[in-house]
Amino acid sequence: MPQYVMVIDRGKCVGCQSCTVACRVHNDLPVSVIYNPVVTNGVTGLFPHVHMTHVPLLCMHCRNTPCVDACPTKASQQREDGIVWVDQDMCVGCKACIMSCPYGARSSHDGVAWKCTFCKERVDAGEKPYCVNTCHQKARSFGDLDDPASEVAQLVGAKGGQWLLGELNTQPGVYYIN
Amino acid sequence: MAVKHHDDNWGWMLAADFFFAGMGAAAVAAAGVLTFAAPGLSSPLVGAVGAVGVGIGALLLILELGKPLRAWRVFTNPKAILTFGAWNMTLTAGLGFVLASFAFPIFPWAGVAILEKLVAGLCVLCGLIVAAYPGVLLARHKARPFWHGPGLIPLFLLSSLATGLALHLLCNAALPAPNQALVQPLAVGTALLLLLQAVLWVAYVYVKRSTGTEHEVAAAERWAKGDLAPGFGLFLAGGMVLPGLLVGLSAPALQVGGALLALGGGALMRLWVIKGGENRTFLPGEQLFRSRLPIGDEAFIRAGK
């Protein structure tokens, strides 16, 4: 069984929000729901040594999932390939998953929880998520971490890969490299 | 089309649920304990009023759901703590009514002492679980720095017990227990719980603020000097210390006033704890990004309507 992860190169991201827009348009998201914002940290430092970083955020598809553990209805689920998703027909809108997610990756709309699914229908069809396809800077890579030949395995192997809020032991499936 | 980018958080109805359920469950548990001590020590009202409290809490929990008509699904995942809590609330409400029914001879089981003690034992067990449950639920949230950690568990348990005993005093004022021997010790116990709570709350905020993580310090700062500070002071002084003194030291008439203040303090405390959970483990730049999103009342959105 593959273990799908995303690798995001912060050094390549220019904060253009193309991924944000592509996700919203292709997934036909409600106006109030954003699956993958790109947040900007900075400017920091003193001229001429100033610095600004852009951090694309999304559901981290954690291997140790606080959201799935919190769900009282089993609507929040994790597939064997690591993708976390919500069966909205089973969701009661208790917001337990929203409150338990350290990354703010879930939203409530129309009484149920919404979240990034790594575009699982596309992944099942052998394609990549819309945000990965759209990124003109090639800052996002997606694939099977267990396949040594995959781009994501090689990137993580070569550059390490950091987790956001790794101290919380959520073991995200999204790695950040510089 | 609605445009709403507020951060999603639990609202006041969950705080009210925690209040009614905690108070009611502790009252039911205390009624169970008194049943073991001697017959007639608690007001015949207590079991039923406590059970109604738990029921109101459950109702508010359902109304807080985005899809209330699917509420039955909350009972379906035995691994989730919310499911555990839902089952215990249901059991406590039912057991409270059954325990209260033993005071009324019209029920055929009213004289069966062994059955009454069995129900009382279950009331104690389930009642204490519900009384402590909100603290356990919130303490598990790694994403909410003000809640995370075991500190909220004793605070919620103490508050539930104090408000539950205060409910006993109020019920006793409305319909006195046949045996008044334990009413004054109960009042002193309520006062001690209230005062202990106030001390522990100050310590909790102090420890979070002085030794917590970066996120915990930011969350605790709201309680010490920020927007939550006035309410924090109010429930400490007006909802714990003052009612503690009134209930513990004064005449029965003032005890009722103290008990009512204790209930108000318990409700405000829970509302403030829920508001304290608005602080998440925000990432650098995230709050700025979210603060710039429209929430629906901006001029450019109104202009398009």
Side-chain angles (χ1 to χ4, degrees):
Chain A
M1 179 61 64
Q3 286 302 304
Y4 290 120
V5 302
M6 190 176 288
V7 178
I8 297 176
D9 191 335
R10 277 190 289 202
K12 290 182 178 176
C13 179
V14 295
C16 69
Q17 309 271 357
S18 297
C19 51
T20 311
V21 174
C23 172
R24 295 190 65 160
V25 170
H26 289 296
N27 287 309
D28 196 20
L29 297 183
V31 175
S32 60
V33 176
I34 301 175
Y35 283 169
N36 58 351
V38 180
V39 304
T40 300
N41 187 27
V43 178
T44 57
L46 286 174
F47 181 82
H49 305 292
V50 290
H51 197 62
M52 177 187 274
T53 53
H54 306 286
V55 184
L57 299 176
L58 69 163
C59 171
M60 299 289 146
H61 297 272
C62 306
R63 270 40 179 178
N64 186 7
T65 48
C67 52
V68 174
D69 294 347
C71 178
T73 69
K74 299 182 184 173
S76 279
Q77 305 170 30
Q78 185 164 39
R79 308 195 321 184
E80 287 188 11
D81 59 13
I83 293 178
V84 178
W85 66 292
V86 178
D87 183 340
Q88 293 183 333
D89 291 333
M90 293 173 69
C91 180
V92 295
C94 68
K95 296 187 183 176
C97 57
I98 293 172
M99 298 303 290
S100 66
C101 175
Y103 306 98
R106 291 178 173 232
S107 309
S108 173
H109 176 75
D110 199 20
V112 293
W114 294 63
K115 68 174 293 300
C116 157
T117 63
F118 270 169
C119 298
K120 63 183 171 58
E121 288 79 11
R122 286 174 62 83
V123 172
D124 290 341
E127 297 180 85
K128 292 184 176 176
Y130 287 116
C131 56
V132 176
N133 270 12
T134 299
C135 183
H136 43 79
Q137 299 298 310
K138 306 292 181 198
R140 292 179 184 244
S141 307
F142 180 83
D144 176 12
L145 189 63
D146 283 354
D147 175 6
S150 71
E151 184 185 5
V152 290
Q154 290 178 2
L155 282 171
V156 171
K159 299 192 175 183
Q162 294 176 326
W163 285 334
L164 293 182
L165 300 172
E167 69 274 15
L168 299 182
N169 193 33
T170 50
Q171 300 173 28
V174 176
Y175 294 80
Y176 289 82
I177 57 177
N178 287 310
Chain B
M1 185 182 292
V3 178
K4 185 176 74 68
H5 282 292
H6 294 289
D7 266 352
D8 280 313
N9 289 298
W10 279 327
W12 67 269
M13 271 196 275
L14 193 80
D17 159 51
F18 285 168
F19 169 69
F20 282 109
M23 173 190 68
V28 168
V33 171
L34 292 176
T35 303
F36 279 103
L41 281 172
S42 59
S43 163
L45 285 177
V46 167
V49 172
V52 167
V54 179
I56 292 172
L59 182 67
L60 288 165
L61 190 64
I62 291 170
L63 292 175
E64 170 92 4
L65 297 177
K67 297 285 183 190
L69 294 178
R70 297 179 188 169
W72 62 271
R73 285 190 181 275
V74 171
F75 293 93
T76 59
N77 184 3
K79 290 181 180 174
I81 187 167
L82 267 175
T83 302
F84 178 74
W87 274 110
N88 274 287
M89 280 173 67
T90 307
L91 284 172
T92 304
L95 287 165
F97 280 118
V98 175
L99 185 65
S101 71
F102 282 94
F104 301 97
I106 54 164
F107 295 104
W109 55 82
V112 187
I114 182 112
L115 186 60
E116 185 178 8
K117 288 209 163 63
L118 176 67
V119 172
L122 291 172
C123 281
V124 175
L125 179 67
C126 293
L128 287 178
I129 289 173
V130 174
Y133 156 75
V136 179
L137 171 72
L138 299 181
R140 296 178 77 249
H141 280 79
K142 293 176 182 176
R144 307 287 160 169
F146 189 75
W147 299 345
H148 187 225
L152 281 186
I153 300 170
L155 286 170
F156 267 86
L157 181 59
L158 279 177
S159 178
S160 295
L161 291 174
T163 51
L165 293 184
L167 189 63
H168 268 258
L169 295 175
L170 292 173
C171 288
N172 190 62
L175 183 62
N179 182 346
Q180 291 283 301
L182 280 186
V183 172
Q184 195 53 32
L186 212 61
V188 173
T190 309
L192 291 175
L193 287 172
L194 287 165
L195 296 173
L196 179 61
Q197 234 191 114
V199 173
L200 289 183
W201 257 112
V202 173
Y204 183 76
V205 173
Y206 172 72
V207 170
K208 280 272 179 197
R209 191 168 167 236
S210 58
T211 64
T213 63
E214 176 192 350
H215 292 118
E216 285 175 330
V217 170
E221 200 64 23
R222 288 180 69 197
W223 289 69
K225 290 181 178 173
D227 60 319
L228 299 182
F232 180 41
L234 184 63
F235 81 64
L236 275 183
M240 291 173 190
V241 176
L242 178 62
L245 296 174
L246 286 175
V247 167
L249 302 175
S250 65
L254 286 175
Q255 278 183 350
V256 169
L260 287 171
L261 280 177
L263 298 193
L268 182 60
M269 181 273 265
R270 283 159 178 79
L271 180 62
W272 248 233
V273 170
I274 294 298
K275 288 174 81 69
E278 291 164 0
N279 283 64
R280 190 167 45 74
T281 43
F282 292 112
L283 295 157
E286 189 188 349
Q287 280 175 292
L288 180 63
F289 174 88
R290 294 190 187 281
S291 73
R292 289 171 170 168
L293 295 172
I295 58 173
D297 60 352
E298 289 77 5
F300 77 93
I301 292 175
R302 290 200 307 272
K305 288 180 179 172

